Amino acid sequence: MQLYIFLLITVLLMVKPTINALFLSKLGADHLPYAYLLVALIAVVTSYFYNRAVKKYSLKKITTSTLLFFSASFMLLSFLMYYSLSNDFILYSYYLSVSLFAVLVTSQFWIIANMVFNAREAKRLFGFIGAGAIAGGIFGGYITSIIAPLFGNRVVILIAALLILFCIPILNTAWKMRIRKLSTYIINQRKTKETEFTPAYKLIIRSKHLTYLAAIVGVGVVMAKLVDFQFSDFANRAIPDSDELASFFGFWFSSFNVIALLIQLFLTNRLLAWLGVTSNLLILPLGIALGCLLFLTFPELWVLVIIKGMDGSFKQSINKAGIELSILPIPSHVKNEAKSFIDVVVDSIATGFAGLLLIFVIKRLELSTSYITVIILLVLFVWMVLVYKLREAYFESFRTNIHRSLDTNELQQHKFQKSSISENIKILKNGNESQILALLERLRDVKFSAFEPHIINLLDHPTHKIKVAAIERLYDFRKGTAAEKIKKLIKEKDDELVFKAIEYLITHTNIDDIKLYETYLESSSTYIANAALLCLAKAASENDKLATKFKLHERIEKKISTFIEAGDVIRKQEVAELMMTVAYAKELKFYSFISANFNNKSNYIVKHAIKAAGVTNHAPFIEPLIAFLAIKKYNLRAKKALKNYGETISKTILEMDTSQYLNDDVRRHIPGVIESFKNRNAIKVLMRLLKSKDFVIRLEAAKSLNKIKSKFPQASLDQRSLTKIILRESTYYKNSINTLASLKAAASKAAAIETETTDDLQVDLLVARESLIDVLELQLEQSLECVFKLLSLKYDHSDIQTAYFGLKSEEKEVKINAIEFLDNLLKSKLKSTMLPMIEYHIIDSDTYHISSFEVKPMLETRALPLLLKNRGSKMKLAVLNVMMHTSEMRYIKLIMPLLKHRNKKVRLFAKYALDGIRANKKALTLQ
């Protein structure tokens, strides 16, 4: 592809200076605006027939035909020049043909390049391909300066025509090697199917991305033509001799291309990586703007040479790469048509518009060509605004491509949509149980009088759960609401309902509390008596006199004795209610009744034992409550119970984690406990947990921070600390990649030399290695997820989520789009650190050679100690398992400290590993 563009630009730089010099010397600069207008007219007509051909024939046939046409045209020009048959009509015709050649064949080349390379490959290779174009410009300029004086311009044109023919076999080779293989794949990547002809201009209008891109190209062409006219006019006036003028143009065009080549080789890729695709497009207009300001101060030819130099060098290097890369997110079937239209029609119409400006503003008003500089500055301002708009559209195109390729269920966040009042009332009246309960939960703290009668009516609902929920909502209305109805519910045979009813009468009515206690504590119904006792314990926690008056502790002691004697006869609801009574009573001597039920066969009783333990805030209950975090059915209750201990529980948990006292199943739930506090201190603690050695802890801490941030967007995080944590996590990620590659290499090497005489020890070692690799691969995925959770705290959550799901897609093209999306989203430091590693891990650089990340493999004897030292308990166990099946005595020194590790399993495996290494070494010595 580089040779292809080299030849095309060589031809262009051979024919363009020659024909331009002939045109200016015979017709003068005054004819340039009219030539610009004719270029626009011819281009529109050419585009019409070209687009029809695109629909009917393949791109390969069209490109080949275009090359043959221009080759024949330039051969004809050489013939006409040989016989001195040129006139004004011929000069205009070939000036137009060179303009069309410049936009048409280069446009076709970049379309083919876009078909061959994806977004990441393009960003890496387009700079070098562009260097080929610039090298062609240098070669074309210099070969013209050598051949023209010796053999004449007609020979230059003839050689150019022959060079065009060499492009055809190169095109056929590239098509056969790359595009033919990718054709089916590219078709599958198309997201929409063409069912009818859609004009290219409509495709551009429908897409903001293409609209802004077309506008930028158009504005750039207008600017370039104005600069070109000003440069040509000043040069023609300063150098009237046509031969000297041709030499002047040839020298500077070649020099501009030398500068462009240097920029392309040493700056373009760096600037693309640093600034991103769209920000790169600002360099050219900013440079021209500075040159124009200089020209307003010194209106001389040397300043115009600088301006033209910036246009010629930046345009063919930095700006060209930016333009070609900025169209990559567009689907290929749209891209093929739109790009041709932009490169040919938009380019030419903009050329015509520049001609009109020159005719009606400069000539008609009889202004000096120096005034063109003011117009250029206005055009540059529009250009920079359009680049800013393109950045947003470019970003959105990648986001859209990723969304189209993913299951929308993965990305959609289900949010509650507030229903209208009438719909809510309809649910309260006629909804099913789950609908009513969900609505009553959502109506918490909503004091809207329209709901009151309907909530009161729910007290007659046949479901006890709904009655309980309705009583809870009545607290939001005036005191004593529906008291009589609630009083009747006390006779129901449901412990929770009876408790809620009595509690409501005591706390939210004007009925005398003492009389209620006297009545209900002595009730013959266990439902009523137990509920009243629980209400008394809750109230007495803040009123010791009440506890003394009704002998709360004596009543509890009697109840416990009765329950112990009765055994299994007692209902589980009664046991649960008594545990809650004990918890609120805050009497240490009764707490054994709660702890005794941690191991109860009934899940219902265990859940209430956990809840009661949380109410007590008793320190010895912390350890068993943390242990319950690892059991799924009790996890939520355990979190709520631990939250009751207040924020000081965070310090206790951190100490336990630091000492690695906790097992892995419990660890992952610790951040969730801290998250439940949802305050500034919780954020601080979670940020500390992000520094843990344990991958799971870090991942869950990042998830918890995201949850807090989503619920409280105003919550502030220290961005500098967050960046450091992300970079630290990236280091973990990098080390995991290197270590994984090292272990896989060791495993492959061991498997390759495995023979029939392989003993049991070697087999065990292979199995242990595979197990370690599995753990490391899991941690690598966890580390990647953690990185993205952390990025969600720094950047827009939905954008990062989109990129993450894109990377996890099965389609390679979606992964590449996701990486390009990140490339434009992340800032330079994070981008340069993370993207190469993500490319390597996700896209498999061994196959596609996309990533610049270089794996640094190490010996297994170095990799294992690093894992043992810097990872959590789970990794330590896997590493010790591998060491156990080796005879490496150097490991003993590393294992010895683990005999005193806080984690029981680690201590045990450390002992096994030491015994295994010594036994293996002894056996090896005896052989």
Side-chain angles (χ1 to χ4, degrees):
M1 296 302 288
Q2 193 178 46
L3 179 60
Y4 186 2
I5 193 66
F6 171 83
L7 289 176
L8 290 178
I9 303 302
T10 295
V11 170
L12 180 61
L13 264 291
M14 290 176 73
V15 297
K16 187 175 181 179
T18 305
I19 292 174
N20 281 6
L22 287 170
F23 187 92
L24 286 171
S25 62
K26 292 195 175 184
L27 301 178
D30 290 342
H31 281 258
L32 280 177
Y34 302 105
Y36 294 163
L37 283 173
L38 285 172
V39 167
L41 179 64
I42 297 299
V44 171
V45 175
T46 303
S47 175
Y48 173 76
F49 291 104
Y50 183 83
N51 283 334
R52 291 179 69 88
V54 166
K55 285 289 175 183
K56 191 172 182 181
Y57 304 104
S58 72
L59 180 62
K60 180 186 173 185
K61 287 183 179 179
I62 293 170
T63 305
T64 304
S65 301
T66 303
L67 294 171
L68 289 171
F69 171 78
F70 281 110
S71 178
S73 298
F74 293 141
M75 285 182 183
L76 178 60
L77 175 61
S78 178
F79 173 80
L80 293 172
M81 291 175 68
Y82 182 78
Y83 289 102
S84 302
L85 297 176
S86 61
N87 54 35
D88 290 359
F89 174 77
I90 291 174
L91 287 174
Y92 263 104
S93 298
Y94 277 96
Y95 184 91
L96 298 178
S97 69
V98 169
S99 298
L100 286 178
F101 176 81
V103 295
L104 199 57
V105 297
T106 53
S107 172
Q108 289 172 342
F109 168 80
W110 287 112
I111 289 173
I112 293 168
N114 280 326
M115 291 172 67
V116 171
F117 305 114
N118 59 52
R120 299 305 294 169
E121 291 170 330
K123 180 169 281 189
R124 184 167 57 88
L125 297 174
F126 275 17
F128 296 105
I129 292 172
I134 297 165
I138 297 170
F139 181 72
Y142 284 131
I143 200 172
T144 302
S145 64
I146 293 170
I147 295 175
L150 296 174
F151 304 104
N153 289 335
R154 62 182 182 275
V155 176
V156 174
I157 299 296
L158 181 62
I159 292 173
L162 294 173
L163 286 175
I164 292 174
L165 295 177
F166 283 102
C167 293
I168 296 173
I170 297 171
L171 170 65
N172 291 333
T173 303
W175 197 277
K176 183 178 180 180
M177 290 176 63
R178 297 295 300 267
I179 299 175
R180 188 174 293 174
K181 295 179 181 178
L182 295 174
S183 58
T184 304
Y185 176 80
I186 292 170
I187 291 170
N188 291 334
Q189 294 302 314
R190 294 182 178 183
K191 306 305 175 188
T192 55
K193 293 183 180 179
E194 299 173 80
T195 55
E196 57 182 13
F197 174 74
T198 305
Y201 74 90
K202 286 188 177 180
L203 293 174
I204 293 171
I205 291 170
R206 289 173 187 172
S207 167
K208 281 187 179 181
H209 186 155
L210 288 174
T211 300
Y212 291 132
L213 185 62
I216 287 170
V217 170
V219 169
V221 169
V222 170
M223 184 277 301
K225 294 303 177 185
L226 294 176
V227 168
D228 184 60
F229 177 83
Q230 201 173 26
F231 174 70
S232 299
D233 182 60
F234 269 68
N236 193 34
R237 281 188 283 170
I239 310 170
D241 183 76
S242 61
D243 292 334
E244 289 183 12
L245 182 61
S247 176
F248 175 81
F249 284 155
F251 172 78
W252 283 113
F253 285 170
S254 294
S255 299
F256 296 157
N257 278 287
V258 170
I259 296 169
L261 180 62
L262 293 174
I263 292 171
Q264 191 76 353
L265 291 175
F266 300 108
L267 284 179
T268 300
N269 284 348
R270 287 184 174 90
L271 289 171
L272 282 170
W274 180 40
L275 297 175
V277 172
T278 51
S279 297
N280 235 36
L281 295 175
L282 287 170
I283 294 174
L284 175 58
L286 286 172
I288 298 292
L290 291 173
C292 288
L293 293 174
L294 182 64
F295 182 78
L296 291 175
T297 308
F298 303 101
E300 298 176 13
L301 180 60
W302 66 269
V303 180
L304 288 175
V305 170
I306 294 173
I307 296 173
K308 182 66 178 174
M310 283 190 286
D311 177 47
S313 56
F314 288 176
K315 190 175 185 179
Q316 296 304 322
S317 54
I318 296 167
N319 203 69
K320 186 67 175 176
I323 290 291
E324 298 304 330
L325 286 168
S326 63
I327 202 172
L328 281 170
I330 302 298
S332 57
H333 69 289
V334 177
K335 185 193 305 177
N336 290 347
E337 288 190 42
K339 181 124 186 10
S340 296
F341 186 88
I342 291 170
D343 287 342
V344 179
V345 179
V346 173
D347 186 293
S348 302
I349 289 175
T351 301
F353 181 72
L356 288 173
L357 277 176
L358 292 170
I359 292 170
F360 291 102
V361 177
I362 302 300
K363 288 196 171 186
R364 188 64 63 88
L365 298 177
E366 297 182 351
L367 298 174
S368 167
T369 52
S370 299
Y371 284 94
I372 293 174
T373 305
V374 178
I375 300 174
I376 292 172
L377 286 170
L378 292 173
V379 171
L380 292 172
F381 174 75
V382 175
W383 189 344
M384 286 184 273
V385 171
L386 289 170
V387 169
Y388 176 77
K389 293 287 186 182
L390 175 66
R391 186 184 187 282
E392 297 174 357
Y394 176 80
F395 200 59
E396 183 60 33
S397 293
F398 273 111
R399 184 189 289 116
T400 302
N401 286 347
I402 296 168
H403 275 276
R404 280 177 179 170
S405 304
L406 298 174
D407 181 4
T408 54
N409 292 328
E410 289 180 316
L411 293 170
Q412 186 179 5
Q413 293 183 347
H414 300 287
K415 296 181 179 179
F416 166 65
Q417 302 295 324
K418 294 183 179 178
S419 306
S420 65
I421 293 172
S422 59
E423 289 173 335
N424 285 333
I425 290 174
K426 187 177 179 181
I427 291 173
L428 292 174
K429 291 170 70 175
N430 303 312
N432 58 38
E433 181 181 342
S434 60
Q435 289 175 328
I436 294 171
L437 289 172
L439 179 57
L440 288 173
E441 179 61 29
R442 292 199 297 267
L443 292 176
R444 187 182 293 275
D445 299 325
V446 178
K447 298 179 181 180
F448 199 71
S449 58
F451 297 135
E452 183 180 337
H454 302 287
I455 293 174
I456 292 172
N457 288 338
L458 290 177
L459 296 173
D460 297 322
H461 198 278
T463 305
H464 290 320
K465 282 186 179 179
I466 290 177
K467 290 175 185 175
V468 169
I471 291 173
E472 290 175 344
R473 293 290 72 76
L474 288 176
Y475 280 95
D476 297 327
F477 301 106
R478 65 187 183 278
K479 201 170 186 179
T481 300
E484 292 302 318
K485 268 197 167 190
I486 290 174
K487 193 180 286 187
K488 294 176 183 178
L489 296 177
I490 293 172
K491 297 178 181 179
E492 296 285 351
K493 301 294 184 182
D494 184 276
D495 292 274
E496 187 178 12
L497 178 58
V498 173
F499 165 69
K500 290 291 183 182
I502 294 175
E503 186 179 41
Y504 183 87
L505 293 175
I506 291 171
T507 60
H508 203 66
T509 68
N510 295 317
I511 302 172
D512 187 357
D513 298 352
I514 302 300
K515 289 184 178 179
L516 289 172
Y517 283 125
E518 289 174 348
T519 303
Y520 296 137
L521 284 171
E522 305 302 331
S523 174
S524 58
S525 168
T526 56
Y527 291 95
I528 297 173
N530 291 340
L533 186 61
L534 177 54
C535 288
L536 176 63
K538 285 185 77 173
S541 61
E542 297 177 359
N543 188 345
D544 292 336
K545 291 182 180 179
L546 196 62
T548 304
K549 180 177 177 63
F550 290 102
K551 299 179 180 178
L552 174 62
H553 295 159
E554 288 86 339
R555 289 177 183 273
I556 291 173
E557 191 169 13
K558 185 179 179 181
K559 281 278 185 185
I560 291 174
S561 299
T562 304
F563 280 18
I564 292 172
E565 290 175 6
D568 295 336
V569 177
I570 303 298
R571 292 180 296 107
K572 62 182 180 182
Q573 291 83 359
E574 288 185 86
V575 176
E577 209 160 29
L578 182 56
M579 283 192 294
M580 293 307 298
T581 303
V582 168
Y584 284 113
K586 305 290 185 184
E587 182 60 43
L588 288 174
K589 65 180 181 179
F590 300 138
Y591 285 174
S592 59
F593 182 70
I594 296 174
S595 58
N597 284 298
F598 283 151
N599 299 314
N600 199 289
K601 294 179 181 179
S602 169
N603 292 337
Y604 181 88
I605 291 176
V606 173
K607 286 179 180 179
H608 280 80
I610 293 169
K611 184 179 179 181
V615 172
T616 66
N617 293 151
H618 189 42
F621 285 152
I622 292 175
E623 189 175 328
L625 287 177
I626 288 176
F628 278 122
L629 291 171
I631 305 173
K632 188 176 180 180
K633 57 187 174 183
Y634 302 133
N635 175 266
L636 189 59
R637 286 291 179 98
K639 282 182 181 178
K640 289 181 178 179
L642 287 167
K643 185 183 177 183
N644 286 334
Y645 281 81
E647 293 184 27
T648 53
I649 193 68
S650 301
K651 184 179 179 182
T652 305
I653 291 174
L654 279 175
E655 289 172 354
M656 296 174 78
D657 176 54
T658 304
S659 65
Q660 297 193 27
Y661 174 79
L662 304 173
N663 65 51
D664 293 329
D665 293 331
V666 169
R667 264 203 179 93
R668 63 190 303 268
H669 299 289
I670 289 173
V673 176
I674 297 166
E675 173 207 330
S676 63
F677 293 108
K678 295 181 175 65
N679 56 24
R680 186 171 295 178
N681 189 56
I683 291 174
K684 278 186 178 180
V685 175
L686 288 170
M687 291 286 280
R688 285 181 62 188
L689 286 177
L690 289 172
K691 300 175 184 178
S692 170
K693 289 184 178 181
D694 192 282
F695 276 88
V696 176
I697 285 276
R698 298 201 303 273
L699 175 58
E700 294 303 322
K703 287 180 179 178
S704 293
L705 281 169
N706 272 276
K707 289 176 184 176
I708 292 175
K709 189 72 175 174
S710 65
K711 290 180 182 178
F712 305 99
Q714 71 279 8
S716 61
L717 297 171
D718 185 344
Q719 292 299 313
R720 288 187 66 185
S721 296
L722 187 59
T723 300
K724 288 180 181 178
I725 290 169
I726 294 172
L727 292 173
R728 185 185 292 113
E729 189 64 39
S730 299
T731 303
Y732 277 113
Y733 187 63
K734 176 184 176 181
N735 292 339
S736 294
I737 291 174
N738 286 326
T739 309
L740 184 61
S742 304
L743 292 174
K744 283 185 174 180
S748 299
K749 185 178 179 181
I753 61 174
E754 184 178 354
T755 63
E756 293 181 3
T757 59
T758 301
D759 58 23
D760 291 341
L761 180 61
Q762 289 174 307
V763 173
D764 290 342
L765 180 58
L766 287 172
V767 172
R769 276 201 191 105
E770 289 298 325
S771 178
L772 176 57
I773 288 170
D774 289 343
V775 173
L776 198 54
E777 284 179 338
L778 176 62
Q779 290 195 353
L780 189 62
E781 293 299 324
Q782 289 171 338
S783 187
L784 178 66
E785 187 180 357
C786 185
V787 165
F788 276 84
K789 291 296 180 184
L790 292 171
L791 289 173
S792 294
L793 298 170
K794 197 169 183 68
Y795 298 92
D796 182 78
H797 177 77
S798 60
D799 283 344
I800 295 298
Q801 190 181 35
T802 296
Y804 180 70
F805 281 115
L807 291 174
K808 304 303 287 183
S809 169
E810 295 297 322
E811 297 180 19
K812 179 198 164 193
E813 196 69 22
V814 179
K815 293 178 180 179
I816 290 167
N817 281 336
I819 288 176
E820 185 63 21
F821 184 68
L822 281 173
D823 198 346
N824 288 276
L825 179 65
L826 302 181
K827 292 183 180 176
S828 57
K829 190 172 184 180
L830 289 175
K831 178 165 63 176
S832 61
T833 303
M834 292 172 50
L835 274 190
M837 292 186 291
I838 293 174
E839 282 181 326
Y840 178 84
H841 175 206
I842 299 296
I843 305 182
D844 186 7
S845 64
D846 290 336
T847 303
Y848 299 109
H849 306 287
I850 291 173
S851 175
S852 59
F853 178 74
E854 293 184 8
V855 176
K856 296 179 180 178
M858 61 191 89
L859 294 173
E860 186 180 74
T861 50
R862 182 164 174 250
L864 293 181
L866 288 175
L867 291 175
L868 198 65
K869 181 181 177 183
N870 299 319
R871 301 297 171 102
S873 298
K874 190 171 185 179
M875 181 59 74
K876 283 180 170 62
L877 295 174
V879 172
L880 288 169
N881 189 34
V882 174
M883 290 180 169
M884 184 192 310
H885 296 97
T886 69
S887 57
E888 292 287 345
M889 298 301 289
R890 71 183 81 179
Y891 293 152
I892 290 178
K893 187 178 178 181
L894 298 167
I895 298 171
M896 289 298 289
L898 297 180
L899 293 172
K900 298 178 181 179
H901 198 275
R902 294 290 187 95
N903 188 294
K904 185 179 178 180
K905 280 188 178 179
V906 173
R907 293 198 304 269
L908 189 62
F909 263 70
K911 184 179 181 303
Y912 291 158
L914 288 173
D915 293 342
I917 291 170
R918 287 165 179 157
N920 297 334
K921 185 66 176 177
K922 186 177 180 181
L924 192 64
T925 306
L926 293 174
Q927 285 181 355

